[in-house]
Amino acid sequence: MELILTKNIHKLNSESIDVYLSGGGYRSHEKALKTMTPDQVIEEVKKSGIRGRGGAGFPMGGKWGFVPKDDSRPHYMVCNADESEPGTFKDRIIIEKDPHLLIEGIIIGSYAIRAHLAFIYIRGEYVHGYNILKKAIAETYDKGFLGKNILGTGFNLDLILHRGAGAYICGEETALMDSIEGKRGNPRLKPPFPAQIGIFKNPTNINNVETLANVPAIIEKGGEWYSKIGRANNTGTKLYCLSGHIKRPGVYELPLGIPLRELIYNHGGGMLQDDRKLKAVIPGGSSVPVLTADQVDVLMDFDSLQAAGSMLGSAGIIVMDDSVCMVKATHRITKFYAHESCGQCTPCREGTGWMEKLLRRMEAGRGENGDTELLYDVAQNILGNTICPLGDAAAMPVMSFVEKFREEFEFHISNKRCMV
Amino acid sequence: MPTLRIDGKEVTVENGTTILKAAESIGIIIPHFCYHPELSIAGNCRMCVVEVERMPKLQTACSTEVSDGMVVHTTTDRVVNARRAIMEFLLINHPLDCPICDQAGECRLQDYSVRYGMASSRFAEEKVKSVKREIFGPHVIYDGERCIKCTRCIRFCYEITKTGELDMFFRGDHSTVGIFPERDLKNDYSGNVVDLCPVGALTLREFRFKSRVWDLKKVNTICPACGRGCNIIAWVKDNRIFRLTPRFNPHVNRSWMCDHGRLSHEFLYRSERLVSPEIMNAERRRLNWKEAFDCVTDALKSILQNHGSGSIHLVVFPFITNEDAFLILKVLKDVFPKSTVSIPIIEIGEDDSLLIRKDRTPNRRGVEEIFREVSSRIISVDDAAKRVKEGMIKSLVVLGEGLTGANDCNILADTPISPLEFSLFIGSFKPWNANDFSAMLPASTWAELDGTFTNFEGFVQRIFPSVLSSCESRPLWKIVQELGSRIGTRCAFRSASSVFEKLAEEHQSYRELRYFSLTDESRIKK
Ligand code: SF4
Ligand code: SF4
Ligand code: SF4
Ligand code: FES
């Protein structure tokens, strides 16, 4: 299989612009800026069928097309590099090992949506990645690929690197916009959507790192070519993050639609301890519903996982063997979301805290009859009733763990200890 | 214009109207905490959720705009259950200290609990601890445990006063409203956040623990503390005003009032009240009204006889009502045809961009309008003071209160009145040089009266008696009418309304205004 996103990462000094150029880099942005109109770029991306890699899986070409064309306001392109979903570490590889692939994607994307200012919003904890991007951006300006009159085409683009301050919620696109504006990062009500009213009330387009890193290849080889990788409606390669009880954790670039079993047993080398059995897998970062061991034949793509009652999310695959207490796992996940809730809306603010306390009590052996139902009910009351997806992200795992491992919760309550 | 159905009722509204407003227009009130018509939409409490056909999730009515053909349900089981869930969430960390909470009786948590609450709580964990009585500013105290994080107070400070003292601090269930270091909540409108707060998280220092709200009687009236004339409610118990709160009037003050006005009732209880007629001859004496009228009439008559009405000067403070002014005008026309008049200027600071007027009197526009007929006889306070010193003015009649320390009051305070032949004060509180006046007659305060004020933009607004007079005071116009008729005018009005009707009949600018049908929009003609 041809690698798109990780083809350079094994090279020495892969993060430098010279290594990137010698591998054929920055040819796509020249092609786009010199031979294509912005609309043609959008068309090509639409043809590729690529869906956003940030979690929601919205078609990127369509999203770019939402940015108004006959509008005198400035447009902004934003790269969301606030990768913070537990179990997810794929954007980091691109940022640290092939920053120019990303920058090239941003330049092409900005051209397509007629933006003259772009931002990379990087997670505060990614200090190494921040330093690498900082250097890479400076190199790009030096080469004249950023700044005024790029490649003599008359296209201007500035790229600002913006560091977050450690809040998970700033990865939510509207909170991210508030944060860029210098405010506390709180999700905004939608509508209006960022394409109409985004940063400083101007049309804004926000894409995940991995999504944008696909753009140079799509422009170079054509949307048609890209659309043949993976499965229908789930095209392209994907960076899968394998972690947990597995022999070879790490980031794997493979086509969308690969069976989860193959990922775990062939690429990941199987269970960490041979005498332990697979118990559960979270397929898309900690916010998505958990899968049980007998669901591992599911294909890893947007539609198949949705059909299986879960989500591809960020493709952060967390593998758990039979030593894991599900009450404890649920508590750990819930604690994260309770801590990261911005606190704006009632169900998420109050509900995540409540679930966390409930689970903590259950885990400590002080659960009471009825607590499992109560927990489930609280999660259900959060689900779908919040301003931003964090509420759902907190509720979904809890509901799925209870649904699939109810007996463990009950065991915990009656025996005041873990079942495992 | 989109047409939609809400609970089976069809309604057509402007484009861009929210479901909540559309529903309100046909009498369907959707419960809400964070929404406030004067503030931006936050959509954070989630109490206002409704079901919209063909939309999978429940929608917040406060933020969702209607579209043509929309079908909305506000009372389905799904909606009621969601509201129940919100109520449960809001109460898990709430202290439930209603018995000692000032908001009890006007608290949305209480009100909605009755409709959506559960009898017992399913929450068995420890509640989140938060700040209990943080002092936000001179008038406002915050209780973080009662706060439901609706951000109304925060939005008010960013959007209305544009001072931005408040913001949300911390995250998740530890979120709490706070002030920035060394930036107390002390803008001129800080009290409004207390009214805005749907629960008892923000309380007014001056009202805390003073009374349960259901013991208070509400009287609609007008703030007397500046030319704006904010529409207010006086809250009364035991013949005493406990607090003043704003009353919505889209033309005058919208939903707000300033802190100065909010506390203006305190003046009623802080200043020394003139309780009965007093006369100074050999010694100071309290008289009954009949004796007092006899004395004052005699004195005025002898001045008129000896020096003519040109020697009498009237100082009319624009704290008086239109009805008072009208009777004074009558006397000026009928029996003091050569007397001069001054209307003191009482200004503090500057007009601001929201409500506050530097003119701290409630009825300058009205008084000036009514006195326009005798405008040639109006002189400045400065000139009046000079004429007193030069001996041209032998007698001074001061009507209404002064405010010591402000502009023209200082000039008056420096003007010696004891050398005058006769000086008369008619007002509610003892004036600056009370001991020097030959006679003082107690008038009722703004809080005890029927009548009208005309605000600086010409809106004519009724005031209503909130309390009964606790002393011998009478409405100023009645006192003036009695004195006038003893000297020679002929009028016998029995009520403020009949005075006003006559005023409307005789005065061009008040024409067409009817006392009992004054509305939010009634204003004098230019
Ligand atoms: S769902 Fe949670 S994180 Fe999102 S806006 Fe509401 S409180 Fe904030
Ligand atoms: S103090 Fe009152 S108005 Fe302010 S956020 Fe809390 S509940 Fe809302
Ligand atoms: S602005 Fe004027 S009228 Fe309004 S409350 Fe303040 S003092 Fe009273
Ligand atoms: S009133 Fe609509 S969410 Fe609060």
Side-chain angles (χ1 to χ4, degrees):
Chain A
M1 189 206 83
E2 188 174 356
L3 295 176
I4 296 173
L5 302 162
T6 55
K7 62 177 191 288
N8 294 326
I9 63 170
H10 302 292
K11 296 178 186 165
L12 192 64
N13 296 332
S14 62
E15 75 282 3
S16 80
I17 197 161
D18 294 330
V19 173
Y20 185 65
L21 282 167
S22 66
Y26 285 113
R27 263 195 241 140
S28 301
H29 99 292
E30 186 168 355
K31 179 176 173 190
L33 266 58
K34 286 193 172 161
T35 69
M36 299 168 81
T37 65
D39 289 344
Q40 284 171 333
V41 174
I42 296 182
E43 261 327 294
E44 211 53 50
V45 172
K46 275 189 184 156
K47 253 188 250 164
S48 76
I50 184 171
R51 293 169 67 172
R53 305 302 199 224
F58 196 82
M60 177 162 68
K63 194 165 170 181
W64 285 8
F66 287 155
V67 178
K69 295 200 168 66
D70 43 1
D71 189 301
S72 59
R73 294 175 295 169
H75 297 175
Y76 301 124
M77 166 60 78
V78 180
C79 166
N80 185 348
D82 193 53
E83 181 173 64
S84 337
E85 177 77 358
T88 313
F89 37 85
K90 62 187 179 65
D91 296 343
R92 179 178 173 180
I93 284 281
I94 297 171
I95 292 165
E96 292 179 359
K97 293 291 177 192
D98 203 359
H100 287 287
L101 183 69
L102 174 61
I103 295 171
E104 188 174 3
I106 293 172
I107 298 171
I108 298 171
S110 304
Y111 176 70
I113 66 153
R114 299 162 172 87
H116 299 290
L117 183 60
F119 298 88
I120 299 177
Y121 186 94
I122 186 166
R123 173 179 184 188
E125 290 88 338
Y126 277 5
V127 182
H128 184 53
Y130 171 78
N131 288 328
I132 288 188
L133 272 174
K134 204 161 110 180
K135 188 154 160 274
I137 292 170
E139 286 175 337
T140 318
Y141 268 102
D142 284 348
K143 286 273 192 272
F145 301 159
L146 277 173
K148 291 249 165 332
N149 192 14
I150 298 171
L151 301 174
T153 60
F155 178 65
N156 305 327
L157 179 68
D158 281 307
L159 176 57
I160 293 174
L161 183 60
H162 189 110
R163 269 186 82 188
Y168 166 81
I169 195 58
C170 288
E172 195 280 329
E173 58 179 9
T174 57
L176 184 153
M177 298 194 301
D178 267 19
S179 179
I180 285 186
E181 288 181 7
K183 301 182 192 142
R184 175 190 163 109
N186 273 358
R188 302 180 185 173
L189 283 178
K190 289 198 260 189
F193 292 94
Q196 274 81 43
I197 296 183
I199 297 174
F200 299 119
K201 300 205 164 65
N202 294 321
T204 301
N205 195 290
I206 303 173
N207 299 279
N208 168 263
V209 169
E210 184 187 347
T211 331
L212 286 167
N214 276 294
V215 173
I218 294 173
I219 295 303
E220 190 191 336
K221 301 191 174 143
E224 184 79 35
W225 162 83
Y226 189 90
S227 70
K228 303 230 161 71
I229 309 169
R231 297 175 64 235
N233 200 29
N234 295 272
T235 58
T237 64
K238 179 82 193 80
L239 296 181
Y240 298 99
C241 317
L242 277 181
S243 66
H245 296 130
I246 196 160
K247 281 215 174 61
R248 289 196 299 271
V251 178
Y252 293 84
E253 181 178 2
L254 292 160
L256 273 173
I258 177 171
L260 178 55
R261 179 182 295 283
E262 194 181 322
L263 213 45
I264 296 173
Y265 290 98
N266 301 4
H267 300 280
M271 301 311 289
L272 180 60
Q273 281 172 275
D274 292 327
D275 56 345
R276 289 244 171 238
K277 283 218 307 279
L278 177 67
K279 182 168 181 182
V281 186
I282 298 173
S286 62
S287 62
V288 308
V290 67
L291 300 174
T292 52
D294 51 18
Q295 289 180 292
V296 292
D297 287 313
V298 67
L299 302 186
M300 289 296 291
D301 64 47
F302 296 106
D303 297 336
S304 311
L305 276 161
Q306 190 165 4
S310 187
M311 282 158 73
L312 180 65
S314 60
I317 299 159
I318 304 170
V319 178
M320 292 176 261
D321 69 20
D322 56 7
S323 69
V324 177
C325 165
M326 287 308 173
V327 177
K328 190 170 180 182
T330 314
H331 175 237
R332 188 62 200 85
I333 291 171
T334 304
K335 192 169 164 191
F336 175 81
Y337 292 107
H339 181 69
E340 295 296 346
S341 162
C342 85
Q344 253 193 114
C345 58
T346 309
C348 171
R349 177 184 66 243
E350 305 294 340
T352 52
W354 189 357
M355 293 196 302
E356 192 276 325
K357 284 174 184 166
L358 243 172
L359 281 158
R360 192 198 316 160
R361 186 160 55 74
M362 287 164 100
E363 173 62 14
R366 286 183 283 109
E368 311 258 344
N369 279 338
D371 278 351
T372 317
E373 288 69 32
L374 178 58
L375 176 67
Y376 191 83
D377 207 40
V378 173
Q380 208 165 25
N381 283 342
I382 301 173
L383 192 76
N385 284 333
T386 56
I387 292 178
C388 89
L390 191 142
D392 294 350
M396 283 187 308
V398 170
M399 292 171 71
S400 71
F401 273 91
V402 171
E403 279 162 15
K404 291 178 177 159
F405 301 96
R406 183 179 291 267
E407 70 289 355
E408 270 199 63
F409 288 80
E410 293 303 340
F411 185 95
H412 229 292
I413 290 169
S414 29
N415 298 287
K416 315 213 173 301
R417 64 174 175 84
C418 303
M419 200 160 111
V420 292
Chain B
M1 293 218 293
T3 299
L4 66 155
R5 291 185 85 78
I6 306 176
D7 292 345
K9 278 197 222 170
E10 200 166 275
V11 58
T12 305
V13 288
E14 294 281 327
N15 248 329
T17 309
T18 60
I19 296 178
L20 189 138
K21 282 194 185 149
E24 203 177 57
S25 74
I26 49 172
I28 298 172
I29 303 299
I30 296 171
H32 56 272
F33 290 105
C34 69
Y35 167 77
H36 189 280
E38 305 281 335
L39 304 174
S40 67
I41 288 164
N44 59 30
C45 74
R46 318 305 283 180
M47 188 64 182
C48 67
V49 285
V50 293
E51 206 171 323
V52 179
E53 281 184 16
R54 286 200 309 245
M55 288 175 129
K57 284 188 186 180
L58 296 178
Q59 301 291 313
T60 42
C62 68
S63 68
T64 309
E65 291 181 2
V66 303
S67 56
D68 200 45
M70 210 179 219
V71 182
V72 181
H73 303 284
T74 75
T75 53
T76 57
D77 285 352
R78 220 177 130 207
V79 170
V80 171
N81 285 337
R83 287 184 191 150
R84 224 176 238 152
I86 297 298
M87 284 308 295
E88 181 176 40
F89 282 139
L90 286 174
L91 291 175
I92 58 172
N93 286 308
H94 194 85
L96 296 175
D97 52 1
C98 308
I100 54 152
C101 178
D102 277 318
Q103 194 83 5
E106 53 185 11
C107 172
R108 293 207 178 201
L109 272 180
Q110 281 187 335
D111 297 350
Y112 295 153
S113 278
V114 177
R115 270 157 73 187
Y116 303 104
M118 310 185 189
S120 62
S121 174
R122 300 191 292 170
F123 184 77
E125 324 305 321
E126 207 176 312
K127 290 182 190 257
V128 176
K129 295 268 182 301
S130 185
V131 291
K132 272 314 263 184
R133 53 193 77 73
E134 189 173 337
I135 293 170
F136 273 3
H139 307 301
V140 180
I141 296 181
Y142 175 67
D143 182 323
E145 295 183 353
R146 290 179 189 161
C147 171
I148 58 165
K149 284 82 189 178
C150 70
T151 70
R152 278 182 173 194
C153 54
I154 297 173
R155 283 176 281 148
F156 176 81
C157 291
Y158 278 115
E159 296 165 14
I160 306 297
T161 59
K162 305 204 166 53
T163 42
E165 295 94 340
L166 301 179
D167 216 321
M168 199 59 84
F169 292 73
F170 308 110
R171 284 198 308 225
D173 57 11
H174 284 79
S175 300
T176 161
V177 179
I179 46 175
F180 296 101
E182 289 170 37
R183 278 186 58 196
D184 288 0
L185 178 60
K186 53 180 180 207
N187 65 56
D188 290 333
Y189 297 90
S190 67
N192 291 295
V193 299
V194 175
D195 307 329
L196 279 174
C197 185
V199 297
L202 296 174
T203 42
L204 193 73
R205 265 186 154 178
E206 289 79 358
F207 181 67
R208 271 167 78 85
F209 309 127
K210 289 273 163 40
S211 173
R212 312 283 1 196
V213 294
W214 56 82
D215 289 335
L216 298 170
K217 186 183 83 187
K218 287 162 53 166
V219 181
N220 288 352
T221 188
I222 300 297
C223 171
C226 88
R228 173 76 56 179
C230 290
N231 292 210
I232 58 171
I233 300 171
W235 299 73
V236 182
K237 184 174 82 175
D238 301 337
N239 208 32
R240 195 184 166 95
I241 296 178
F242 275 70
R243 66 171 177 181
L244 300 175
T245 56
R247 184 162 53 88
F248 180 70
N249 180 331
H251 311 286
V252 175
N253 56 308
R254 302 207 63 85
S255 298
W256 322 122
M257 76 187 296
C258 77
D259 289 352
H260 172 71
R262 186 180 294 272
L263 300 173
S264 58
H265 61 101
E266 294 190 339
F267 182 81
L268 298 174
Y269 308 106
R270 270 199 214 129
S271 312
E272 204 189 337
R273 188 77 193 263
L274 182 59
V275 292
S276 61
E278 289 185 20
I279 294 291
M280 272 290 280
N281 28 30
E283 89 264 30
R284 179 158 215 94
R285 277 203 302 134
R286 288 192 172 181
L287 303 177
N288 64 34
W289 274 106
K290 184 175 174 314
E291 292 169 318
F293 277 131
D294 289 347
C295 268
V296 172
T297 318
D298 287 350
L300 285 172
K301 275 184 174 161
S302 91
I303 299 271
L304 281 172
Q305 231 151 47
N306 298 336
H307 310 285
S309 68
S311 71
I312 302 177
H313 181 75
L314 271 63
V315 176
V316 181
F317 282 97
F319 291 101
I320 61 174
T321 64
N322 288 323
E323 294 68 23
D324 297 338
F326 184 69
L327 258 302
I328 297 171
L329 177 74
K330 275 233 159 308
V331 168
L332 274 173
K333 291 199 303 194
D334 296 354
V335 292
F336 293 172
K338 295 214 163 59
S339 298
T340 48
V341 188
S342 347
I343 308 169
I345 291 173
I346 299 177
E347 293 181 342
I348 299 175
E350 288 303 324
D351 297 344
D352 75 2
S353 54
L354 197 52
L355 298 174
I356 299 174
R357 306 294 300 173
K358 65 180 174 203
D359 176 7
R360 295 308 170 104
T361 64
N363 200 26
R364 170 172 304 281
R365 178 85 188 263
V367 170
E368 285 178 352
E369 199 69 45
I370 291 165
F371 282 14
R372 192 180 293 159
E373 234 181 299
V374 292
S375 56
S376 58
R377 290 151 67 186
I378 298 180
I379 60 171
S380 71
V381 168
D382 237 351
D383 285 349
K386 274 194 210 115
R387 291 190 195 188
V388 169
K389 281 179 201 141
E390 287 163 5
M392 289 159 70
I393 291 174
K394 309 263 184 247
S395 172
L396 202 58
V397 181
V398 176
L399 301 120
E401 325 308 323
L403 258 192
T404 33
N407 322 61
D408 282 350
C409 298
N410 296 343
I411 302 174
L412 286 168
D414 288 345
T415 310
I417 47 176
S418 31
L420 290 167
E421 268 180 42
F422 181 67
S423 54
L424 169 63
F425 170 80
I426 311 178
S428 316
F429 301 101
K430 295 216 169 131
W432 58 95
N433 31 18
N435 291 328
D436 296 340
F437 279 93
S438 326
M440 296 193 287
L441 303 177
S444 303
T445 66
W446 137 91
E448 298 154 1
L449 283 178
D450 273 307
T452 58
F453 285 149
T454 305
N455 97 335
F456 79 106
E457 291 172 309
F459 288 103
V460 181
Q461 315 194 82
R462 270 181 76 182
I463 57 169
F464 290 85
S466 320
V467 293
L468 301 171
S469 175
S470 53
C471 61
E472 290 177 43
S473 73
R474 296 181 177 183
L476 191 137
W477 66 265
K478 278 193 177 161
I479 304 171
V480 173
Q481 169 166 279
E482 173 71 24
L483 286 174
S485 58
R486 280 161 176 258
I487 304 172
T489 59
R490 264 192 309 278
C491 48
F493 296 110
R494 313 200 56 154
S495 63
S497 59
S498 56
V499 179
F500 188 87
E501 298 303 324
K502 190 75 183 163
L503 166 64
E505 189 184 310
E506 287 187 6
H507 208 288
Q508 187 57 37
S509 359
Y510 285 82
R511 210 62 31 105
E512 285 165 25
L513 295 180
R514 290 291 162 271
Y515 191 79
F516 291 110
S517 38
L518 289 174
T519 68
D520 277 2
E521 288 175 84
S522 303
R523 53 199 302 186
I524 52 172
K525 285 213 209 73
K526 294 260 160 56

